[in-house]
Amino acid sequence: MPRALMAIGALTGLLSAAAAQTLTPVTVGTASAVSDTPIFIADRKGFFRAEGIDAKITDFDSAARMVAPLGAGQLDVGGGSASAGLYNAWLRGIRLKIVADKASSQPGYAVNRIAVAKRHIESGRYKAWSDLKGMKIAMNGTGISSWGTLAAGLKRGGLTFADVTTVDMPFPDHVLALQNGAVDGSLTTEPSITIAIQRGYAVALAGDDELIPRHAISQLLYPEDFVKKKPELALKFMRAYLKGVRLYNDALRDGRLAGPASDEVIVMLTDYTPIKDPAIYRSIIPVGMDPDGKVDMPSLKSDYELYKSL
């Protein structure tokens, strides 16, 4: 190889190494969920790098498991829900800030849906919201945003939580429970709800986009120290994140991942999450997100009051 080309190659390598050294590491927690898509996009498309950020993404099996590492400074950014657990963590001195929307029930994009077993529709056991009385409903925990959705549905039938029995189980188990009759209904999310409907086990009654429009379901969280001690870095991360949110919204159309950017986004989802079948992503109702990252405060306050009453 000519010496000139060798020199150019060496210089290019030095410049690349120097550029890499200027990137500031930011540790980011994700739950490998559709609501994490803007983070995946910002990573894949170079939005973080353009802001001088080297995003170190770590997967967690649930958003709840990010709270302790966020509080301990082991994570700079994470996702979570404004749940009873988050408020209790604050009372314990774990100072976290809700800084942006990560999943909300935008029009046509339900995050959670209330469903009833199809056998109850066919038998006539269920005809109206009031018929939920006495039913066993599958949930995914106490004191989380989906309780606000269920409360809104029960209210339509003049019911309260005292009129139903709730059973906590992981979302994927809702499908089997609806199939084998272990539960009469479910408050569940994607892809579990679509799978249950496609297999003939359930019928959806309503989503939170109808029951609680723009319901704040999941949020981007910063530790308080990240905001106070590294404000410029926190803003840079937010800029990159919102670019990811807007590209994600470009992938949405008619309640599906069917917009102009959908092919590109679905490839990223199959790369970053455990679900590798693109057809699943095309069949589900994807979560909504506010393009400016705004969090719906009225729904946060309403859920908070509900948690206190449980």
Side-chain angles (χ1 to χ4, degrees):
M1 179 184 294
R3 292 182 179 180
L5 291 179
M6 292 177 63
I8 290 172
L11 179 60
T12 300
L14 289 171
L15 290 174
S16 298
Q21 289 173 359
T22 64
L23 296 179
T24 302
V26 174
T27 53
V28 186
T30 68
S32 296
V34 175
S35 63
D36 294 311
T37 306
I39 295 171
F40 304 149
I41 292 172
D43 185 48
R44 178 65 57 85
K45 299 287 286 185
F47 298 158
F48 288 134
R49 290 187 295 279
E51 294 288 349
I53 291 172
D54 178 16
K56 304 291 188 181
I57 298 174
T58 301
D59 291 330
F60 289 79
D61 59 9
S62 76
R65 295 189 183 276
M66 298 182 208
V67 172
L70 283 165
Q74 297 165 351
L75 280 179
D76 298 313
V77 182
S81 175
S83 63
L86 185 65
Y87 295 125
N88 286 332
W90 177 270
L91 292 175
R92 296 195 306 271
I94 300 176
R95 296 292 187 253
L96 303 178
K97 295 284 189 181
I98 294 173
V99 293
D101 181 30
K102 192 164 171 284
S104 54
S105 56
Q106 301 296 316
Y109 295 90
V111 180
N112 298 303
R113 282 189 278 173
I114 300 176
V116 68
K118 190 175 182 180
R119 65 184 183 277
H120 291 322
I121 302 287
E122 294 172 339
S123 69
R125 164 70 175 83
Y126 179 89
K127 296 186 182 70
W129 286 98
S130 57
D131 294 329
L132 289 176
K133 186 171 184 177
M135 287 192 177
K136 186 180 292 186
I137 309 295
M139 299 289 287
N140 189 43
T142 303
I144 56 179
S145 59
S146 56
W147 278 71
T149 304
L150 181 58
L154 292 171
K155 186 176 180 180
R156 287 193 169 192
L159 306 177
T160 69
F161 282 103
D163 295 304
V164 297
T165 300
T166 58
V167 183
D168 293 338
M169 61 182 72
F171 284 129
D173 292 349
H174 289 204
V175 179
L176 179 60
L178 286 163
Q179 178 191 14
N180 63 24
V183 297
D184 303 295
S186 171
L187 192 292
T188 193
T189 191
E190 296 287 9
S192 300
I193 181 63
T194 290
I195 293 171
I197 292 170
Q198 289 178 343
R199 293 180 180 176
Y201 306 149
V203 174
L205 304 182
D208 45 17
D209 59 327
E210 175 187 343
L211 295 166
I212 310 176
R214 295 177 176 80
H215 190 191
I217 306 297
S218 180
Q219 296 82 40
L220 196 71
L221 304 176
Y222 284 173
E224 191 175 72
D225 279 353
F226 185 58
V227 177
K228 289 183 175 180
K229 297 180 180 179
K230 302 177 182 178
E232 290 186 10
L233 189 60
L235 285 172
K236 288 179 179 181
F237 186 93
M238 185 59 65
R239 278 198 294 266
Y241 172 76
L242 289 178
K243 286 180 182 178
V245 169
R246 289 164 185 170
L247 195 150
Y248 170 78
N249 280 334
D250 287 343
L252 305 182
R253 187 176 64 191
D254 300 330
R256 292 288 187 272
L257 278 167
S262 60
D263 288 344
E264 183 178 18
V265 167
I266 289 172
V267 167
M268 294 183 207
L269 282 167
T270 58
D271 287 346
Y272 282 86
T273 74
I275 298 175
K276 304 302 181 184
D277 184 356
I280 292 177
Y281 288 115
R282 295 195 182 281
S283 67
I284 66 172
I285 296 176
V287 301
M289 295 180 199
D290 185 278
D292 298 320
K294 293 179 180 178
V295 178
D296 186 74
M297 292 304 295
S299 68
L300 282 186
K301 291 178 180 177
S302 177
D303 283 349
Y304 177 72
E305 294 301 323
L306 175 64
Y307 303 153
K308 290 199 299 182
S309 71
L310 293 175

